Amino acid sequence: MEDGKYATSFEDIQAAAARIEPYVNRTPVMTCSTIDKLAGRQLFFKCETFQKTGAFKFRGACNSVFVLGDEEAKRGVVTHSSGNHAAALALAAQLRGIPAHIVVPRTTPQCKVEAVVGYGGEVHFCEPTMEAREAACAELQARTGAVLVPPYNYGPVMAGQGTIAIEFLQQVHDLDVLVVPVSGGGMISGIALAAKAIKPGIKVVAAEPGGLNRSPDVALAKMAGWLLPCARTETIADGLQGRLGDLTWPVVRDLVDGVVVVEEQQIVGAMRLIMERMKLVVEPSGAVGLAAVLSPGWAACAATADCGRVGVVLCGGNLDLAPRGFWEGWLPGPPAPRPEEGERGERGQAD
């Protein structure tokens, strides 16, 4: 590949790996014989669910914070996010001892707001529109001089996420294909650049939710050969609702070998398998890779032919169970009412 062709490079990813090594977790790779049988191949799961803040996002955020020069870092960092990137950037900034301004929509669940605050981030609320988020970020940048760290369409973020591939291929040397959940493309861009540099013959496949509104922008862009305007995907995999950016798209266009689009029920089925069989907590976005491997689309994808050893990235485990009444379901219910005398048998026995 030509130097400077993309927003980041394998050399940048190697530098990122060294830079963030003191701060990130080297996440484990796990296997499950039951799931192997269902898939008809060997699967190796890279468990970013065990990364700090519970998702892969900490890698890119950490690299983005620690790559800054001292004078630049003093001004702090800013981003807009209602998800894993917000918490990741807050923690990374806390570790460096600099301010983190996090713009979040006022509709953001309280548990996510509390996570950002718990990691030392300063929360700034805005209206729940992209225009309001971007305007709030611009105002904070102008007022504080903070450095904008986008969630995916940003070279240092892409390089940080690419460290997943370096670790994965050190832990499992002979993988045929890597399956990576995709939305904005920051993670798969970094992984594709690193994986192809380390093992040129390896395949990289994107796993993407089609959504209720059938808006899989990565699959559509790959088919067309250019970015197409697409609506935000309506999916339970809320961490995969971003759109490809101008920096991530060229890498996806050139280095991603195929896209497998999955349905909502397939995502839920994959979550259940991972939780029941592997005993791992995974959010819907994190289960999309397994959903792809188990879907009919896997066999239809030319890039997956003859791929017997499959690496799957479980990208996050931040599952909020409270709104679904999960915990309340474990509590004992009220005692059954005692029958009235008229409802008893002649000898005072229940009928």
Side-chain angles (χ1 to χ4, degrees):
M1 285 174 282
E2 306 164 20
D3 289 340
K5 184 177 181 181
Y6 304 118
T8 194
S9 66
F10 181 52
E11 291 72 24
D12 293 332
I13 297 167
Q14 289 176 307
R19 185 178 297 119
I20 68 178
E21 190 273 335
Y23 309 104
V24 301
N25 292 335
R26 184 180 175 87
T27 55
V29 173
M30 297 187 179
T31 59
C32 177
S33 58
T34 298
I35 297 179
D36 284 355
K37 290 176 184 176
L38 289 172
R41 64 199 77 242
Q42 289 181 286
L43 305 184
F44 300 85
F45 296 91
K46 180 66 168 163
C47 299
E48 287 295 292
T49 52
F50 292 114
Q51 190 50 261
K52 290 178 181 176
T53 72
F56 77 97
K57 290 283 190 178
F58 182 65
R59 294 175 182 268
C62 190
N63 186 53
S64 299
V65 165
F66 281 91
V67 78
L68 296 175
D70 289 342
E71 290 302 313
E72 196 175 26
K74 286 178 183 177
R75 302 196 300 269
V77 290
V78 62
T79 197
H80 59 84
S81 171
S82 60
N84 292 330
H85 179 65
L89 188 62
L91 177 58
Q94 182 185 69
L95 289 171
R96 188 157 184 188
I98 64 174
H101 302 280
I102 312 296
V103 175
V104 300
R106 58 176 174 75
T107 53
T108 300
Q110 186 61 27
C111 64
K112 293 186 177 181
V113 174
E114 290 172 356
V116 173
V117 173
Y119 289 128
E122 183 177 330
V123 174
H124 304 263
F125 290 101
C126 69
E127 291 302 304
T129 66
M130 187 57 66
E131 293 78 12
R133 289 163 61 153
E134 291 175 348
C137 267
E139 188 278 327
L140 283 166
Q141 275 188 281
R143 178 159 54 85
T144 65
V147 177
L148 177 65
V149 180
Y152 51 85
N153 199 45
Y154 186 54
V157 166
M158 295 160 66
Q161 320 306 25
T163 64
I164 295 170
I166 292 178
E167 281 186 16
F168 208 166
L169 294 177
Q170 288 172 347
Q171 291 164 310
V172 188
H173 300 286
D174 49 354
L175 292 173
D176 299 316
V177 60
L178 293 176
V179 185
V180 187
V182 68
S183 61
M187 175 169 55
I188 201 168
S189 295
I191 286 177
L193 281 163
K196 299 280 186 176
I198 296 167
K199 187 178 180 181
I202 197 168
K203 303 294 186 182
V204 177
V205 170
E208 181 179 29
L212 299 176
N213 58 340
R214 304 307 304 162
S215 185
D217 76 309
V218 179
L220 294 172
K222 287 286 282 184
M223 285 190 290
W226 62 83
L227 284 178
L228 299 171
C230 285
R232 179 183 173 93
T233 308
E234 296 175 10
T235 174
I236 57 169
D238 57 349
L240 301 180
Q241 292 179 306
R243 307 284 85 178
L244 288 170
D246 62 328
L247 302 182
T248 59
W249 161 240
V251 186
V252 172
R253 178 194 63 208
D254 297 346
L255 300 183
V256 171
D257 299 288
V259 184
V260 177
V261 178
V262 298
E263 307 296 335
E264 300 294 282
Q265 64 268 28
Q266 292 167 340
I267 298 172
V268 174
M271 285 176 65
R272 182 170 183 174
L273 273 173
I274 292 165
M275 292 186 192
E276 291 183 346
R277 298 297 183 174
M278 298 183 70
K279 315 306 178 189
L280 296 175
V281 176
V282 64
E283 62 191 84
S285 301
V288 167
L290 176 59
V293 176
L294 297 178
S295 74
W298 182 262
C301 179
T304 62
D306 303 319
C307 290
R309 292 173 63 82
V310 180
V312 179
V313 179
L314 301 183
C315 60
N318 292 316
L319 182 63
D320 185 7
L321 297 170
R324 302 181 186 278
F326 177 84
W327 300 114
E328 290 79 0
W330 289 96
L331 297 172
R338 295 175 61 84
E340 298 295 332
E341 286 299 320
E343 296 173 342
R344 295 177 181 271
E346 292 183 356
R347 294 175 294 175
Q349 302 291 325
D351 288 335

